[in-house]
Amino acid sequence: MKRQETVQIIQGRGCPICGSGNSRRLFRQSFAHVSGVRLLDGYDVVICEDCGAGFADNIPPQEAFDEYYRDLSKYENPGHDLEAIPVVEPRFRDAAELIGRFISSPDSRVFEIGCATGGLLKAVRERGFPDVLGSDPSPRCARAATQLYGVPAVVGTVFTVPIPEEPYDFLILTGVLEHIRDLERTVTRFHELLRERGRVYLEVPDASRYVPHLDAPFQEFSVEHINFFSRKSLTNLMQARGFRALETGHTVRPQHEVTCPCTYGVFERSADPTRIEKDTETEAGLRSYIEGCRVEDGRIRARIRQALAPGERMIVWGVGTHTLRLLATGGLNPEQVSLFVDSNPNCQRQQLRGVPVVSPAELRSRDPILISSRGFQREIQKQIQHQMGLENRLILLYE
Ligand SMILES: [Zn+2]
């Protein structure tokens, strides 16, 4: 794996929905970075003046994201035993039920881009659509889909998956479009991969309905999320590029210990692009989210300040967005951190602000441990206390 520090190239970005260059900044998000794993130092959360879409501006080019997802996937569940077949989560069964209503026949060719370890495709197959194929940028994920569920999968992104001799009938992308810088090229790829009147199911977090207290403050502005969709802007993206909306809606998906408001749409390839309609819900939603997060952020900063006795240092568990944002914005003082711990092998043997990042197995120190995560707080607590039997004092930020 490449571990070189590369010079960060930052590019201004037109609106990914309508192409306009006029945008207004609502918020600046900042991140520290682990040595050798620099994707971005931050971005501007902006609103398009013309169509009202929300997106991250001043970010690296698409290639930097492609490299990041190939090398650093955190979606492969390294802790999971590939021998033990996990139960398909209810969120996958729910999505498969909705998707199944729009797949035209039992022999339809279904292709999922960003399939992670294949849970959704397994649920789709169980609904009577056996011809499924997945793809994921992470080779480990693609392998796991086959090992866990017998779901065939190839390695690739929306930009690199091969175009089949016989086009697909149905594409699925859930939790993917919010990660992609180049949405124009993405929808062009949908046209290349699908047959005439083929369909695509898209599901993304709903920025018009982000809720501050459902997750850690500003967590929706993560290192990896660079498009802030609403139902309207998702529909605009597709209808302006020759896809007709068959059904759109809202849903809520559980994700570990938090829940995520999402919006979805089923779109059909058709010849005629439709005019973009102004999105009036995203800006209001983002503004109220940002206000709510400021309050919650003040609370967790105070808790961190009060957690240590003078001269005491702590171990910080987790080096994701939660930690990187706090480090970059003064919420965590690296001088008070003796070690960082993370279960993702891709982050280990690195440094963060000069402090080593180690695996849980390497942990020997008795310093108190700050669990720097909302979505995995309970799971990490269980791992520390029950699986590892450690007696370090725990600093928890969330009830
Ligand atoms: Zn726009």
Side-chain angles (χ1 to χ4, degrees):
M1 185 184 303
K2 266 200 302 193
R3 280 292 186 213
Q4 297 153 344
E5 285 275 344
T6 44
V7 178
Q8 202 181 23
I9 304 160
I10 295 300
Q11 294 177 342
R13 184 185 182 203
C15 172
I17 307 295
C18 77
S20 162
N22 301 319
S23 64
R24 194 155 25 91
R25 182 164 91 171
L26 299 185
F27 185 74
R28 172 73 193 171
Q29 176 69 309
S30 304
F31 307 109
H33 62 95
V34 177
S35 50
V37 193
R38 185 180 195 177
L39 178 63
L40 30 79
D41 290 339
Y43 53 67
D44 296 318
V45 177
V46 305
I47 287 286
C48 173
E49 297 272 24
D50 290 310
C51 79
F55 59 98
D57 203 357
N58 298 315
I59 56 173
Q62 183 64 51
E63 295 70 38
F65 288 93
D66 293 345
E67 209 168 288
Y68 174 85
Y69 288 111
R70 188 192 61 223
D71 293 345
L72 294 166
S73 177
K74 60 180 192 188
Y75 301 99
E76 33 190 57
N77 300 332
H80 284 190
D81 179 2
L82 289 185
E83 301 301 309
I85 296 175
V87 175
V88 172
E89 296 169 48
R91 67 185 168 115
F92 290 140
R93 286 203 303 271
D94 292 349
E97 189 190 340
L98 201 162
I99 289 167
R101 286 198 280 120
F102 292 93
I103 303 180
S104 51
S105 96
D107 53 14
S108 289
R109 293 157 49 79
V110 180
F111 183 45
E112 183 180 12
I113 296 170
C115 69
T117 53
L120 176 56
L121 281 182
K122 159 141 169 94
V124 168
R125 203 175 50 190
E126 281 173 355
R127 296 203 69 82
F129 306 100
D131 193 349
V132 299
L133 175 68
S135 75
D136 199 274
S138 153
R140 286 181 55 179
C141 280
R143 256 196 323 272
T146 308
Q147 283 176 295
L148 292 172
Y149 303 120
V151 165
V154 297
V155 177
T157 69
V158 66
F159 304 119
T160 63
V161 289
I163 294 168
E165 275 178 35
E166 190 191 336
Y168 297 109
D169 299 296
F170 203 97
L171 298 179
I172 300 172
L173 295 89
T174 74
V176 173
L177 285 197
E178 70 272 28
H179 299 263
I180 297 180
R181 177 186 168 113
D182 193 343
L183 294 179
E184 184 74 53
R185 200 146 58 94
T186 299
V187 183
T188 301
R189 290 290 286 171
F190 296 165
H191 282 286
E192 294 167 354
L193 291 162
L194 280 173
R195 67 167 167 82
E196 282 295 307
R197 306 200 54 196
R199 293 171 175 181
V200 53
Y201 176 80
L202 302 173
E203 186 178 301
V204 289
D206 184 349
S208 70
R209 296 185 308 139
Y210 287 161
V211 181
H213 296 283
L214 282 187
D215 205 334
F218 302 111
Q219 190 72 19
E220 298 289 357
F221 304 146
S222 72
V223 175
E224 306 185 344
H225 288 185
I226 52 174
N227 302 309
F228 310 113
F229 286 103
S230 65
R231 173 155 84 168
K232 178 60 90 182
S233 62
L234 182 67
T235 305
N236 279 338
L237 170 74
M238 296 302 285
Q239 297 209 139
R241 292 166 180 80
F243 279 85
R244 183 168 74 91
L246 299 180
E247 181 174 310
T248 61
H250 298 128
T251 182
V252 175
R253 298 282 185 222
Q255 290 191 337
H256 308 292
E257 293 160 34
V258 295
T259 54
C260 178
C262 290
T263 181
Y264 68 86
V266 184
F267 302 93
E268 184 175 89
R269 259 193 95 190
S270 67
D272 313 313
T274 315
R275 259 188 66 240
I276 282 177
E277 288 174 33
K278 179 106 185 190
D279 171 352
T280 53
E281 49 195 16
T282 298
E283 178 169 2
L286 286 177
R287 283 191 184 282
S288 90
Y289 175 69
I290 291 165
E291 276 318 300
C293 287
R294 288 207 165 103
V295 176
E296 177 69 353
D297 194 33
R299 185 191 67 76
I300 68 165
R301 280 162 195 264
R303 186 167 288 195
I304 294 171
R305 275 198 307 275
Q306 292 152 9
L308 294 183
E312 195 179 22
R313 295 201 301 169
M314 63 187 158
I315 298 158
V316 173
W317 192 296
V319 297
T321 290
H322 195 274
T323 294
L324 301 180
R325 185 189 71 82
L326 284 170
L327 275 173
T329 56
L332 264 179
N333 175 358
E335 288 173 10
Q336 292 182 314
V337 180
S338 57
L339 270 182
F340 290 98
V341 178
D342 202 284
S343 298
N344 183 343
N346 293 320
C347 297
Q348 293 156 9
R349 292 173 298 283
Q350 308 289 319
Q351 295 208 332
L352 185 48
R353 290 281 158 97
V355 179
V357 183
V358 302
S359 72
E362 294 169 272
L363 196 54
R364 300 284 177 274
S365 161
R366 310 296 300 160
D367 288 342
I369 301 173
L370 170 76
I371 300 182
S372 185
S373 170
R374 169 91 184 247
F376 293 92
Q377 178 178 280
R378 274 203 304 273
E379 189 177 316
I380 294 169
Q381 183 178 6
K382 221 168 74 187
Q383 183 180 356
I384 293 170
Q385 294 181 324
H386 300 119
Q387 290 158 17
M388 300 174 66
L390 298 180
E391 290 173 354
N392 303 47
R393 176 165 70 88
L394 295 188
I395 303 164
L396 303 181
L397 298 177
Y398 305 98
E399 301 309 330

